[in-house]
Amino acid sequence: MQTTRLDTARIRAARRVIDPIFLDTPLYRCEALEPVLGCAVSVKLETANPVRSFKARGTELVASLLAGDGSGAVVCASAGNLGQALAWSGRGRGLDVTVVASRFAPAAKLDRIRALGARLELVDGDFDMARERAAAVARHDGIRLVEDSLDIETCEGAATIGLELVDTVPSFDTVLIALGGGALATGVGHVVKALAPEVEVICVQPLGAPAMTHSWHRRRVVTTDSTDTIADGVAGRRPIPAVLDDLLLVADDAVLVEEASIIAGMRLLLDHAGLVVEPSAALGIAAILEDRDRFAGRHVVTIVCGSNVDVDAYHRWVGAASDHR
């Protein structure tokens, strides 16, 4: 039987390394959403922490390992959230952190990376161009390159969310996970399939950034030339083969959702849960909106994975959504 790169015992051990401020995040049934969506919905709130996303679960592991082996510097590419998380984790361990990002990334994410003390380098392209530049910096400077989803720590850190989910009562029967590079989906998916195999794992990606979903369906890496989505946190063009291999083992389905559904999901989370979220965090709600019949009568958990959103853009999107309700 094939196995993923992840290890459940290591994931349990990771909880002892990650700062408790990022662990045991709120998980609750959101009854106000249920009349609109037609199913029982619980939200796992990965935004109630100092970096407002799940990414620090992984960067805590990375930074603790680097500090332990005497490494002084590290570089990563980021759409914004990983950079903040690595800056936060590195600052507490005396690491020199460089983050390479697109200059088109949300200003709020870039400002926060700087505020956390990391050196920020901007490229005139998208996330995949930032990945190339970060790799070049690592080679030139002889420092550790952290690659989200490829580095197993980023997946196993995210997988601790799965441990918290499978320990819950009452149980749920479906989990909806935002799909970008794949760390969150493979991490949570691995734990759910290992410990609660009856739960359906469904990954959700924007129609405008479909590379990993197309790859999952075709069982081989499919790249795209561009992306076109407001969900910047999941907007990759080039899936990593090893991550796809893991995803094929743990995901039951991968679906694509339209931009209008993502915006409607953000609005529902604001109106009915009081949550301001970035587009990637509304993908699960968007999936329910687009296929109510599939989820009718189920108990669905959706992971609200980030809330680092540009305020002006948020008002444009959600304001437009409210105009058409």
Side-chain angles (χ1 to χ4, degrees), residues 43-103:
V43 294
K44 179 66 165 162
L45 195 60
E46 287 298 305
T47 61
N49 64 55
V51 298
R52 303 199 311 206
S53 85
F54 75 94
K55 297 283 190 181
R57 291 179 184 250
T59 60
E60 283 288 278
L61 295 185
V62 171
S64 63
L65 285 171
L66 288 173
D69 70 15
S71 299
V74 61
V75 61
C76 74
S78 176
N81 286 346
L82 180 76
Q84 288 181 70
L86 188 60
W88 195 94
S89 297
R91 184 181 66 175
R93 293 170 176 84
L95 298 176
D96 177 21
V97 176
T98 299
V99 178
V100 184
S102 168
R103 69 176 67 255

Side-chain angles (χ1 to χ4, degrees), residues 30 33 36-37 41 43 230 257-290 292 302 304 314 317-318 321-322 325:
C30 190
L33 282 170
V36 187
L37 298 176
V41 180
V43 294
I230 61 171
V257 294
E258 297 182 4
E259 298 294 289
S261 302
I262 298 171
I263 292 169
M266 293 168 70
R267 181 77 208 193
L268 286 174
L269 287 167
L270 176 64
D271 284 352
H272 298 293
L275 298 175
V276 174
V277 305
E278 60 187 85
S280 302
L283 287 168
I285 301 298
I288 302 171
L289 286 172
E290 290 200 5
R292 282 182 172 86
T302 185
V304 176
Y314 183 86
W317 299 326
V318 172
S322 64
R325 277 188 298 168

Side-chain angles (χ1 to χ4, degrees), residues 184-253:
L184 182 63
T186 59
V188 174
H190 170 91
V191 171
V192 169
K193 286 303 169 192
L195 303 179
E198 71 284 357
V199 172
E200 188 176 24
V201 174
I202 303 175
C203 304
V204 190
Q205 198 163 40
L207 197 60
M212 188 62 105
T213 295
H214 286 333
S215 299
W216 185 87
H217 283 282
R218 297 178 196 175
R219 303 189 70 84
R220 61 177 177 81
V221 170
V222 176
T223 61
T224 60
D225 292 331
S226 61
T227 60
D228 183 16
T229 178
I230 61 171
D232 59 286
V234 293
R237 294 184 287 112
R238 300 177 198 158
I240 298 168
V243 183
L244 174 61
D245 289 344
D246 290 342
L247 192 69
L248 288 168
L249 293 172
V250 301
D252 294 301
D253 200 2

Side-chain angles (χ1 to χ4, degrees), residues 125-160:
D126 62 7
F127 171 72
D128 286 288
M129 184 177 287
R131 267 171 69 180
E132 292 173 7
R133 176 58 189 159
V137 170
R139 286 193 302 270
H140 181 270
D141 295 350
I143 61 176
R144 167 71 186 270
L145 172 66
V146 174
E147 286 202 74
D148 201 12
S149 306
L150 179 59
D151 285 9
I152 200 64
E153 298 88 0
T154 62
C155 303
E156 292 185 340
T160 59

Side-chain angles (χ1 to χ4, degrees), residues 176-187:
L176 294 167
I177 311 173
L179 178 61
L184 182 63
T186 59

